[in-house]
Amino acid sequence: MIEADTPSLPELDGDELRRYGRHLVLSEVGTEGQRRLKGARILLVGAGGLGSPAGLYLAAAGVGTLGLVDFDKVDITNLQRQVIHGTSDIGRPKLDSASDRIRDLNPHVHVEQYDTALTSANALDIARGYDVIVDGTDNFPTRYLVNDTSVLLGIPNAFGSVLRFEGQASVFGANDGPCYRCLFREPPPAGSVPSCADAGVLGVLPGLIGTIQATEAIKLVLRVGSPLIGRLLLVDALEMQFRSIEVRRDPECPACGTHEIRELIDYEKFCGVTGAQTMEETKVTDISPRELSERMKRGDDIELIDVREEWEWQIAKLPGARLIPLGTLESSIGSLDRNKEIVLYCKSGVRSLHAAEFLANEGFRKLANLSGGILRWSQEVDPTVLRY
């Protein structure tokens, strides 16, 4: 963390004194606080929906060094909420797009790029030396990875998450406060919580939560106010209600309580996310887009079922598919041939997996789930299939 002695902090030049004038008149910030921000190093994990507003406001506030971890490219479907990127950036690495926007917003900010997925092998090396981590991830394995990295290195984690119209924010791993594992000791069953790609997210919601994360990070650097340590902020954008619940540190928490976790683990395995193609318990087989494409070209006897909604079907569909929305699947069982192999697909593979598991429980045995859904089909087989 940043040392308390003012002389060790970087000085502000004339341009910075003018740029940050509205900060300097705040007694809680002032010249010393602004120098703290300039000397701060904050790591953003993800340059997407949450990382976009967080990165913009941290840069505007004058944080001296921003680390960006991302390996994805800008897609048109990102632009509904990932405001750090623009239409002209489609196809560019998010790291380059975000870095250019940050430098344009504030050339005094130094951006350190990490063009990689955050993993157990690199997380400690990447995060070491930063003062705060801002968690902009959208999946459980990486959330647990960020949490354990935060605890092991003693770096506070400004946490955020969004889904549909609801968001959460907190500060984990700080001082004597709780960590993410104190709240969620075990991850939910794999596939039980839909992703934003399947469930959707109101575009402005990541802006609300990401800005809150940036606010908490700034407060931690300045050592002012009451950070969300020991509190989980719940945001309902549909009703525009904010409330917080107390989160206590769990003395039995394996990360920050008993300290059983001394090294980073396999978080994909911990969260039940595997690359295995066969799920023995349901007899559902994963099939890749390329494999399905080859089988369709051969004329294999396959019934292709799309379990998305009608409006999604109107945007894009696979050739030869039949639409049975997930909500109508139970009433449509009689129309399915139990002797024919059935391949189900949706947008990303989550809803179709639930559909396949439902059919397996109803006695169907020749079932396959299109891995990655129509989005992966568009990436790997037919780019003319629209992404949304």
Side-chain angles (χ1 to χ4, degrees):
M1 295 296 291
I2 300 172
E3 298 297 328
D5 54 320
T6 302
S8 67
L9 297 173
E11 297 292 341
L12 304 173
D13 64 25
D15 179 73
E16 290 171 302
L17 290 171
R18 291 190 297 273
R19 179 182 291 266
Y20 307 127
R22 301 303 191 275
H23 270 178
L24 302 182
V25 298
L26 295 172
S27 60
E28 294 85 353
V29 183
T31 302
E32 180 177 341
Q34 195 61 52
R35 291 172 65 192
R36 287 190 182 282
L37 288 171
K38 184 175 181 178
R41 293 172 51 83
I42 295 180
L43 181 67
L44 282 163
V45 182
L50 296 171
S52 288
L56 289 171
Y57 275 102
L58 290 171
V63 171
T65 300
L66 286 178
L68 302 181
V69 183
D70 206 302
F71 63 96
D72 200 5
K73 292 184 178 181
V74 180
D75 187 87
I76 191 172
T77 61
N78 301 147
L79 302 182
Q80 166 252 13
R81 63 202 177 280
Q82 299 182 17
V83 295
I84 204 167
H85 313 293
T87 301
S88 62
D89 295 313
I90 292 174
R92 294 183 68 199
K94 288 184 179 179
L95 276 185
D96 293 343
S97 173
S99 298
D100 286 350
R101 180 68 184 97
I102 286 171
R103 294 186 184 108
D104 181 59
L105 178 62
N106 190 348
H108 298 283
V109 176
H110 172 64
V111 179
E112 295 183 350
Q113 296 186 351
Y114 303 93
D115 184 11
T116 180
L118 196 71
T119 68
S120 300
N122 64 23
L124 293 176
D125 289 335
I126 289 175
R128 188 174 284 109
Y130 283 93
D131 302 303
V132 182
I133 301 173
V134 175
D135 183 356
T137 62
D138 61 359
N139 62 85
F140 288 103
T142 314
R143 283 177 189 163
Y144 280 96
L145 170 60
V146 170
N147 177 79
D148 293 354
T149 299
S150 162
V151 173
L152 289 172
L153 295 178
I155 303 172
N157 166 24
F159 165 80
S161 70
V162 292
L163 187 68
R164 292 178 55 79
F165 298 95
E166 298 180 350
Q168 301 176 349
S170 189
V171 173
F172 294 122
N175 300 327
D176 294 325
C179 75
Y180 184 74
R181 285 181 182 268
C182 293
L183 183 63
F184 301 108
R185 176 72 67 86
E186 300 290 338
S192 63
V193 178
S195 66
C196 288
D198 284 297
V201 61
L202 183 67
V204 298
L205 181 60
L208 286 171
I209 301 300
T211 304
I212 290 171
Q213 291 176 272
T215 304
E216 293 304 296
I218 289 170
K219 286 159 57 181
L220 290 168
V221 170
L222 296 176
R223 304 170 190 171
V224 298
S226 301
L228 286 170
I229 300 172
R231 291 182 293 149
L232 180 68
L233 182 68
L234 305 175
V235 178
D236 182 342
L238 203 57
E239 301 298 329
M240 198 47 71
Q241 293 182 346
F242 291 68
R243 65 187 181 94
S244 63
I245 59 174
E246 182 180 2
V247 181
R248 295 182 178 180
R249 189 169 188 175
D250 182 359
E252 299 301 317
C253 171
C256 68
T258 63
H259 297 286
E260 296 171 35
I261 298 176
R262 300 176 183 272
E263 59 184 17
L264 301 179
I265 62 174
D266 183 340
Y267 293 90
E268 298 283 329
K269 182 177 180 181
F270 173 68
C271 292
V273 180
T274 67
Q277 274 67 47
T278 302
M279 301 171 191
E280 296 296 338
E281 66 275 11
T282 60
K283 305 300 181 184
V284 176
T285 300
D286 271 0
I287 185 170
S288 72
R290 286 195 175 92
E291 181 184 355
L292 176 60
S293 176
E294 290 299 319
R295 295 192 61 188
M296 290 168 67
K297 290 177 182 177
R298 290 199 306 263
D300 289 2
D301 190 17
I302 295 173
E303 184 165 12
L304 187 59
I305 302 296
D306 186 328
V307 299
R308 298 173 302 152
E309 299 301 316
E310 173 68 30
W311 67 268
E312 296 175 282
W313 172 265
Q314 295 301 324
I315 295 174
K317 61 178 74 72
L318 299 189
R322 173 186 169 196
L323 178 65
I324 303 180
L326 183 58
T328 67
L329 184 60
E330 184 174 2
S331 61
S332 303
I333 283 182
S335 67
L336 298 175
D337 186 346
R338 293 176 180 268
N339 296 315
K340 181 180 290 188
E341 182 178 2
I342 298 175
V343 176
L344 302 106
Y345 76 89
C346 62
K347 183 177 181 180
S348 65
V350 176
R351 282 175 289 174
S352 52
L353 175 59
H354 288 311
E357 290 173 339
F358 169 75
L359 292 178
N361 290 332
E362 294 296 316
F364 288 79
R365 287 293 172 262
K366 298 179 181 180
L367 297 167
N369 179 46
L370 180 62
S371 177
I374 198 170
L375 291 180
R376 187 176 166 191
W377 176 278
S378 177
Q379 288 177 323
E380 299 182 2
V381 176
D382 184 2
T384 66
V385 174
L386 294 179
R387 296 168 57 85
Y388 62 96

mmCIF file of all heavy atoms in Angstrom, residues 372-388:
data_model
loop_
_atom_site.group_PDB
_atom_site.id
_atom_site.type_symbol
_atom_site.label_atom_id
_atom_site.label_comp_id
_atom_site.label_asym_id
_atom_site.label_seq_id
_atom_site.Cartn_x
_atom_site.Cartn_y
_atom_site.Cartn_z
ATOM 1 N N GLY A 372 -20.863 -23.666 -26.550
ATOM 2 C CA GLY A 372 -20.689 -22.264 -26.916
ATOM 3 C C GLY A 372 -21.841 -21.665 -27.691
ATOM 4 O O GLY A 372 -21.854 -20.461 -27.968
ATOM 5 N N GLY A 373 -22.828 -22.508 -28.035
ATOM 6 C CA GLY A 373 -24.032 -22.020 -28.676
ATOM 7 C C GLY A 373 -23.811 -21.372 -30.037
ATOM 8 O O GLY A 373 -22.787 -21.567 -30.702
ATOM 9 N N ILE A 374 -24.784 -20.562 -30.428
ATOM 10 C CA ILE A 374 -24.747 -19.941 -31.746
ATOM 11 C C ILE A 374 -23.640 -18.897 -31.838
ATOM 12 O O ILE A 374 -23.130 -18.596 -32.929
ATOM 13 C CB ILE A 374 -26.131 -19.341 -32.096
ATOM 14 C CG1 ILE A 374 -26.241 -19.105 -33.600
ATOM 15 C CG2 ILE A 374 -26.409 -18.095 -31.286
ATOM 16 C CD1 ILE A 374 -27.636 -18.736 -34.061
ATOM 17 N N LEU A 375 -23.234 -18.342 -30.696
ATOM 18 C CA LEU A 375 -22.132 -17.382 -30.712
ATOM 19 C C LEU A 375 -20.840 -18.045 -31.171
ATOM 20 O O LEU A 375 -20.100 -17.493 -31.994
ATOM 21 C CB LEU A 375 -21.937 -16.781 -29.312
ATOM 22 C CG LEU A 375 -23.035 -15.859 -28.799
ATOM 23 C CD1 LEU A 375 -22.682 -15.357 -27.408
ATOM 24 C CD2 LEU A 375 -23.259 -14.684 -29.746
ATOM 25 N N ARG A 376 -20.561 -19.232 -30.641
ATOM 26 C CA ARG A 376 -19.350 -19.933 -31.040
ATOM 27 C C ARG A 376 -19.465 -20.427 -32.486
ATOM 28 O O ARG A 376 -18.473 -20.454 -33.217
ATOM 29 C CB ARG A 376 -19.086 -21.102 -30.088
ATOM 30 C CG ARG A 376 -17.750 -21.799 -30.321
ATOM 31 C CD ARG A 376 -17.489 -22.873 -29.295
ATOM 32 N NE ARG A 376 -16.382 -23.731 -29.716
ATOM 33 C CZ ARG A 376 -16.067 -24.884 -29.131
ATOM 34 N NH1 ARG A 376 -16.776 -25.304 -28.070
ATOM 35 N NH2 ARG A 376 -15.066 -25.611 -29.575
ATOM 36 N N TRP A 377 -20.675 -20.805 -32.894
ATOM 37 C CA TRP A 377 -20.888 -21.208 -34.288
ATOM 38 C C TRP A 377 -20.508 -20.051 -35.222
ATOM 39 O O TRP A 377 -19.848 -20.238 -36.236
ATOM 40 C CB TRP A 377 -22.349 -21.605 -34.489
ATOM 41 C CG TRP A 377 -22.715 -21.959 -35.902
ATOM 42 C CD1 TRP A 377 -23.023 -21.096 -36.923
ATOM 43 C CD2 TRP A 377 -22.820 -23.278 -36.463
ATOM 44 N NE1 TRP A 377 -23.308 -21.786 -38.077
ATOM 45 C CE2 TRP A 377 -23.190 -23.129 -37.820
ATOM 46 C CE3 TRP A 377 -22.645 -24.558 -35.949
ATOM 47 C CZ2 TRP A 377 -23.392 -24.219 -38.662
ATOM 48 C CZ3 TRP A 377 -22.846 -25.646 -36.794
ATOM 49 C CH2 TRP A 377 -23.214 -25.477 -38.126
ATOM 50 N N SER A 378 -20.920 -18.851 -34.863
ATOM 51 C CA SER A 378 -20.603 -17.681 -35.669
ATOM 52 C C SER A 378 -19.101 -17.429 -35.728
ATOM 53 O O SER A 378 -18.564 -17.032 -36.771
ATOM 54 C CB SER A 378 -21.311 -16.444 -35.099
ATOM 55 O OG SER A 378 -20.965 -15.276 -35.811
ATOM 56 N N GLN A 379 -18.418 -17.683 -34.617
ATOM 57 C CA GLN A 379 -16.974 -17.455 -34.561
ATOM 58 C C GLN A 379 -16.189 -18.499 -35.351
ATOM 59 O O GLN A 379 -15.222 -18.163 -36.039
ATOM 60 C CB GLN A 379 -16.499 -17.484 -33.106
ATOM 61 C CG GLN A 379 -16.923 -16.278 -32.289
ATOM 62 C CD GLN A 379 -16.478 -16.398 -30.841
ATOM 63 O OE1 GLN A 379 -16.484 -17.483 -30.258
ATOM 64 N NE2 GLN A 379 -16.091 -15.290 -30.259
ATOM 65 N N GLU A 380 -16.625 -19.753 -35.281
ATOM 66 C CA GLU A 380 -15.803 -20.842 -35.798
ATOM 67 C C GLU A 380 -16.287 -21.447 -37.112
ATOM 68 O O GLU A 380 -15.493 -22.072 -37.828
ATOM 69 C CB GLU A 380 -15.702 -21.958 -34.742
ATOM 70 C CG GLU A 380 -15.051 -21.510 -33.450
ATOM 71 C CD GLU A 380 -14.929 -22.642 -32.442
ATOM 72 O OE1 GLU A 380 -15.319 -23.787 -32.771
ATOM 73 O OE2 GLU A 380 -14.446 -22.378 -31.329
ATOM 74 N N VAL A 381 -17.558 -21.277 -37.424
ATOM 75 C CA VAL A 381 -18.105 -21.946 -38.615
ATOM 76 C C VAL A 381 -18.604 -20.951 -39.654
ATOM 77 O O VAL A 381 -18.182 -20.980 -40.815
ATOM 78 C CB VAL A 381 -19.238 -22.928 -38.226
ATOM 79 C CG1 VAL A 381 -19.867 -23.537 -39.478
ATOM 80 C CG2 VAL A 381 -18.699 -24.028 -37.319
ATOM 81 N N ASP A 382 -19.510 -20.074 -39.267
ATOM 82 C CA ASP A 382 -20.155 -19.199 -40.239
ATOM 83 C C ASP A 382 -20.267 -17.775 -39.682
ATOM 84 O O ASP A 382 -21.208 -17.454 -38.954
ATOM 85 C CB ASP A 382 -21.546 -19.738 -40.575
ATOM 86 C CG ASP A 382 -22.241 -18.927 -41.650
ATOM 87 O OD1 ASP A 382 -21.631 -17.967 -42.157
ATOM 88 O OD2 ASP A 382 -23.398 -19.250 -41.976
ATOM 89 N N PRO A 383 -19.327 -16.900 -40.027
ATOM 90 C CA PRO A 383 -19.352 -15.523 -39.496
ATOM 91 C C PRO A 383 -20.518 -14.694 -40.010
ATOM 92 O O PRO A 383 -20.750 -13.602 -39.487
ATOM 93 C CB PRO A 383 -18.004 -14.954 -39.963
ATOM 94 C CG PRO A 383 -17.606 -15.788 -41.136
ATOM 95 C CD PRO A 383 -18.148 -17.153 -40.871
ATOM 96 N N THR A 384 -21.253 -15.199 -41.009
ATOM 97 C CA THR A 384 -22.432 -14.438 -41.483
ATOM 98 C C THR A 384 -23.599 -14.578 -40.515
ATOM 99 O O THR A 384 -24.570 -13.824 -40.624
ATOM 100 C CB THR A 384 -22.861 -14.919 -42.885
ATOM 101 O OG1 THR A 384 -23.326 -16.277 -42.808
ATOM 102 C CG2 THR A 384 -21.706 -14.817 -43.870
ATOM 103 N N VAL A 385 -23.536 -15.532 -39.608
ATOM 104 C CA VAL A 385 -24.574 -15.662 -38.579
ATOM 105 C C VAL A 385 -24.391 -14.511 -37.597
ATOM 106 O O VAL A 385 -23.327 -14.388 -36.977
ATOM 107 C CB VAL A 385 -24.485 -17.018 -37.859
ATOM 108 C CG1 VAL A 385 -25.469 -17.063 -36.690
ATOM 109 C CG2 VAL A 385 -24.780 -18.149 -38.835
ATOM 110 N N LEU A 386 -25.398 -13.674 -37.465
ATOM 111 C CA LEU A 386 -25.270 -12.469 -36.666
ATOM 112 C C LEU A 386 -25.076 -12.781 -35.186
ATOM 113 O O LEU A 386 -25.708 -13.682 -34.627
ATOM 114 C CB LEU A 386 -26.514 -11.589 -36.838
ATOM 115 C CG LEU A 386 -26.729 -10.992 -38.241
ATOM 116 C CD1 LEU A 386 -28.012 -10.173 -38.265
ATOM 117 C CD2 LEU A 386 -25.536 -10.100 -38.618
ATOM 118 N N ARG A 387 -24.182 -12.020 -34.567
ATOM 119 C CA ARG A 387 -23.986 -12.088 -33.120
ATOM 120 C C ARG A 387 -24.824 -10.983 -32.473
ATOM 121 O O ARG A 387 -25.018 -9.919 -33.065
ATOM 122 C CB ARG A 387 -22.514 -11.889 -32.769
ATOM 123 C CG ARG A 387 -21.622 -13.000 -33.312
ATOM 124 C CD ARG A 387 -20.149 -12.638 -33.211
ATOM 125 N NE ARG A 387 -19.759 -12.318 -31.843
ATOM 126 C CZ ARG A 387 -19.398 -13.219 -30.943
ATOM 127 N NH1 ARG A 387 -19.367 -14.500 -31.278
ATOM 128 N NH2 ARG A 387 -19.041 -12.865 -29.720
ATOM 129 N N TYR A 388 -25.315 -11.243 -31.287
ATOM 130 C CA TYR A 388 -26.159 -10.242 -30.607
ATOM 131 C C TYR A 388 -25.908 -10.291 -29.114
ATOM 132 O O TYR A 388 -25.222 -11.162 -28.610
ATOM 133 C CB TYR A 388 -27.631 -10.495 -30.913
ATOM 134 C CG TYR A 388 -28.170 -11.822 -30.437
ATOM 135 C CD1 TYR A 388 -28.846 -11.931 -29.211
ATOM 136 C CD2 TYR A 388 -27.966 -12.998 -31.168
ATOM 137 C CE1 TYR A 388 -29.332 -13.150 -28.775
ATOM 138 C CE2 TYR A 388 -28.459 -14.216 -30.733
ATOM 139 C CZ TYR A 388 -29.134 -14.282 -29.537
ATOM 140 O OH TYR A 388 -29.602 -15.496 -29.101
#
